Amino acid sequence: MASATTAFSNVMARNRADERELRRAMTHQGMGERRNVGGGERVLSAVAGGLLALWGLKRRGSLGYGAAALGAELVYRGASGHCKAYSALGITTKETGREGQLADVDHDHSVDVRHSVFISRPRHELYAIWRDFSKLPQFMTHLERVDVLSPTKSHWVTKGPAGISVEWDAEIVDEREGEWIAWRSIEPTEVPNNGTVMFREAPGGGTEVFVTLEAQPPAGTFDDMVTRMFGRSPARQVRRGLERFKRMVESGHGFPSSPSMSASDREVGLSNAGLSDLAPREITTSARRGPSISRKGDEPPASPTE
C-alpha cells in the first residue's frame, strides 16, 4: 500500500511540476492559460480520475499502480483544463468565449507571419495611414474591406476563393501614436487572430515598419482557413502588401480618408477606451512555437521597455 501511495504521489508531483512549467511559459509569452478541455469534460475527468486512482490504490499490484497513475493524469486534466494529447493533435473542446470578449490565440497551433519594410517617409505619416483600418485593403489585397465601427473597433472581411471568405470583428488593444498599433479579434470568431504594426525611425531618416499577424484556424481546417484568410502563401501575401504600401506612399499616392469618423470623435472614443495616453509597454512576444511562417531579419526591435 505504501508503494502504491508513493507511486500516486510521484505522478501528482510530476503533473504539478508540468503545470507550473506550463504557467511559467504562458506568463513569459504574455498569454492566458491554454485550456483545451471543456468545462463538462473537466468535471468528468476529475471525478473519474479520482475514482480510478482510489481503486488502483486499493487493488495494488502492477494493474493497480497503472490505474492510479492514469487516475492522477485524469485528475490533472480536470483540474488544469489542459490535455497534452489534445495539444499535440491540435484539438480543443473548450467552449467559445463570451460574445464581445477578446479572442485568445493558441500560439502552438497558429500561423505566425512577420515581415518588415523600409519606407523613406516619416513614421507619423505612416502611422496615420494604418490607424484608419479602412485603408488597409488598398495595399493588403487579401482583404476585401475593413469597416471602422468606432475609434477602437472594426469589422474585417477577407477575399476568399470561390467567393468564400472569413469575417470577424477586431478591437485595438494597445497603441502609441506614431509608434505602434496592436489589435485582437473579438468573440465570436471563426479564426481567432491578432496583429501588430510598429514604426521605428531608421538611422539617416525614413521609417522601418514591422508587421506581425497571427491566426489560429480551427482544428482540421488549417489549410482551408489559411487560404481563405491570406491566399495560398500568407508570408508572400503580407510581404507583397508591405511592398505595395511602400510604393504607394513613396510615390505620393493619396489614401482617401474614412468618412465614418471625425478626428474629435476619435479622440473622445480613445479617451473612453483608455487608449489616449498609453505608457510604453511590450505589445508582442517574439518567442512563439508551433507552425510559424517568417523571414530571417524581420524580427522587430525590442520594445521601449526592453
Side-chain angles (χ1 to χ4, degrees), residues 233-245:
S233 176
R236 186 184 303 118
Q237 189 74 265
V238 173
R239 184 178 71 251
R240 288 179 175 176
L242 282 179
E243 290 170 351
R244 189 177 296 108
F245 177 58

Side-chain angles (χ1 to χ4, degrees), residues 33-54:
E33 288 194 20
R34 288 195 296 242
R35 294 191 176 96
N36 55 12
V37 181
E41 192 175 346
R42 290 178 63 184
V43 172
L44 290 176
S45 293
V47 173
L51 293 175
L52 186 59
L54 289 175

Side-chain angles (χ1 to χ4, degrees), residues 119-147:
I119 302 177
S120 57
R121 300 298 299 172
R123 59 185 174 91
H124 282 86
E125 177 183 331
L126 306 182
Y127 169 89
I129 295 172
W130 273 83
R131 188 52 180 80
D132 182 357
F133 283 167
S134 68
K135 297 174 182 176
L136 299 187
Q138 296 183 47
F139 52 92
M140 291 293 186
T141 56
H142 67 283
L143 294 173
E144 179 178 327
R145 73 175 194 276
V146 180
D147 301 325

Side-chain angles (χ1 to χ4, degrees), residues 2-24:
S3 58
T5 304
T6 301
F8 178 78
S9 299
N10 289 341
V11 171
M12 290 300 293
R14 187 172 66 251
N15 284 334
R16 285 194 294 270
D18 289 345
E19 186 174 5
R20 285 195 298 271
E21 182 61 30
L22 177 67
R23 287 179 177 175
R24 277 197 297 270

